């Protein structure tokens, strides 16, 4: 039986590929590469604010997918 953190990790590994490529890229840059929104904007040719908004929307989508996956069990 999986403990709670292992279960969350398993679910995330299943749902991350369901994100659009640009959403996944934003999440990777922000949370795995620890980039600022300014850096992200420069790299992706977005304004800092637009990088922030798009990242927030990607997180909302990730949370929706996570909730949907958990409700299917």
């Amino acid at each position: 039986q999986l403990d709670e953190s292992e279960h969350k990790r398993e679910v995330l590994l299943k749902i991350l590929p369901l994100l659009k490529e640009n959403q996944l890229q934003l999440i990777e840059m922000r949370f795995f590469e620890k980039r600022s929104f300014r850096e992200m904007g420069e790299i992706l040719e977005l304004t800092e604010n637009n990088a922030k908004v798009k990242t927030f929307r990607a997180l909302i989508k990730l949370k929706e997918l996570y909730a949907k996956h958990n409700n299917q069990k």
Side-chain angles (χ1 to χ4, degrees):
Q1 185 175 352
L2 298 175
D3 71 15
E4 187 66 22
S5 64
E6 289 172 336
H7 172 72
K8 287 178 181 178
R9 185 177 303 119
E10 183 180 282
V11 172
L12 281 172
L13 289 173
K14 287 180 182 177
I15 64 174
L16 279 171
L18 301 176
L19 291 174
K20 293 178 183 174
E21 182 65 32
N22 64 327
Q23 293 173 320
L24 185 57
Q25 183 179 32
L26 289 162
I27 289 173
E28 287 175 351
M29 292 175 79
R30 181 67 180 162
F31 299 103
F32 295 98
E33 298 174 11
K34 306 288 188 199
R35 294 186 184 272
S36 69
F37 290 115
R38 177 173 291 174
E39 285 180 294
M40 293 166 62
E42 289 173 2
I43 292 167
L44 300 173
E45 298 181 357
L46 302 169
T47 64
E48 180 178 352
N49 192 55
N50 197 241
K52 194 179 295 184
V53 169
K54 287 178 179 279
T55 302
F56 181 72
R57 289 180 182 158
L59 286 173
I60 290 172
K61 183 65 177 176
L62 187 62
K63 288 176 185 178
E64 289 171 356
L65 290 168
Y66 187 88
K68 183 178 178 182
H69 184 339
N70 274 344
N71 289 336
Q72 290 177 352
K73 292 196 169 201

